[in-house]
Amino acid sequence: MSRRGQGGGARDRLLLAAAELLDSSGDRTLSTRAVCERAGVQAPTLYHHFGSKQGLIDAVLDHGFTQYVQPPQASSDPVDDIRQGWDRHVQFGLDHPTFYALLYGQIEPGKPCAITAPAHAMLRDLLTVAARRGLLRVPADDAADQILAANIGITLSLITRPDDDRDMGLSDRVREAALAAVLNSDAVRPADAVTRAGAALTLRALVDQDSTELTAGEYALLRELLGRLAESRPRLDPG
């Protein structure tokens, strides 16, 4: 059905038309003719806005991914925001399984995916806030890598399961296990290790935020020393 006369800019109508066709068919070779007919535009309009059919597909995937990566409204609790982001990620994958598969089909060996990068950046920002509050037991970048890998893995796992055999509690359990692996907890680490490593991570995050009173050399040296302290492990008492 043509969308001519339905309002909205040509670019937005093309994005919507391509998204609907991709989501319903999962065919990355969808025809430009079908997209243009659905959007109510001519082919030159598509090439004007996106350069090529692949450019349109990339824009659709980028748009779709950004929609669920961005939180509706950030709270004052970065850990709670991470939980909500995890749940939005999983729900998006379940609501748009073909779209989700196409998103991760963009990944090439050894090359970070520009489309999925916003999810990592969002996590890193939230975890940096957590580090400044003394909540992390590993560097923010490492924590973001671990959480995002687990988030993607559980989403793909749930997508492959039939609706009547889909245990959503599994997502909650994996989420909490992933958080426990990167957050400080007296129950899982000795108190002295939490104090030293956690304090080092907190100070490094604060220095990264504002290093105006340090020279470049001082900043580099301090960051290296704090990194060593953050990664060190407590010695076991041989007695």
Side-chain angles (χ1 to χ4, degrees):
M1 177 181 68
S2 172
R3 295 179 179 271
R4 189 185 302 278
Q6 292 188 12
R11 186 178 189 279
D12 289 341
R13 297 202 309 275
L14 284 164
L15 282 170
L16 177 59
E20 290 174 344
L21 291 170
L22 282 170
D23 203 27
S24 62
S25 69
D27 185 1
R28 202 178 300 179
T29 63
L30 59 83
S31 73
T32 55
R33 179 178 178 180
V35 174
C36 290
E37 180 178 345
R38 195 177 186 92
V41 302
Q42 300 297 316
T45 303
L46 184 153
Y47 294 111
H48 168 73
H49 286 289
F50 301 103
S52 65
K53 181 175 70 175
Q54 187 58 48
L56 169 63
I57 292 173
D58 289 346
V60 170
L61 298 180
D62 189 15
H63 178 74
F65 199 83
T66 302
Q67 291 303 302
Y68 87 83
V69 164
Q70 298 300 329
Q73 183 175 1
S75 72
S76 60
D77 183 351
V79 177
D80 186 55
D81 286 342
I82 291 170
R83 286 191 173 96
Q84 292 186 34
W86 175 292
D87 294 343
R88 284 197 310 274
H89 186 132
V90 171
Q91 193 58 53
F92 180 90
L94 296 178
D95 289 343
H96 309 282
T98 303
F99 211 79
Y100 190 85
L102 284 171
L103 282 168
Y104 285 96
Q106 296 289 306
I107 293 175
E108 300 178 18
K111 182 179 179 181
C113 179
I115 291 175
T116 58
H120 189 278
M122 181 198 73
L123 267 175
R124 185 182 61 246
D125 290 345
L126 289 172
L127 288 161
T128 298
V129 173
R132 291 172 190 152
R133 298 181 184 181
L135 302 178
L136 285 191
R137 58 190 293 183
V138 299
D141 278 337
D142 290 349
D145 287 342
Q146 291 180 46
I147 292 174
L148 186 57
N151 204 179
I152 295 168
I154 192 61
T155 304
L156 291 172
S157 176
L158 290 173
I159 286 173
T160 64
R161 299 191 180 191
D163 290 345
D164 58 358
D165 188 37
R166 186 173 288 157
D167 176 14
M168 293 305 297
L170 179 62
S171 175
D172 294 341
R173 294 191 294 274
V174 173
R175 181 193 65 211
E176 294 309 307
L179 288 173
V182 301
L183 296 176
N184 276 328
S185 172
D186 292 338
V188 296
R189 295 189 68 176
D192 64 331
V194 171
T195 299
R196 185 174 63 180
L201 286 166
T202 301
L203 182 55
R204 188 167 72 170
L206 291 170
V207 169
D208 287 343
Q209 183 182 27
D210 182 8
S211 60
T212 54
E213 296 183 4
L214 300 174
T215 66
E218 290 170 340
Y219 170 72
L221 178 59
L222 178 59
R223 204 172 190 282
E224 179 183 354
L225 293 173
L226 290 172
R228 290 182 185 177
L229 286 173
E231 294 169 2
S232 65
R233 295 294 181 266
R235 297 179 180 176
L236 296 178
D237 184 353

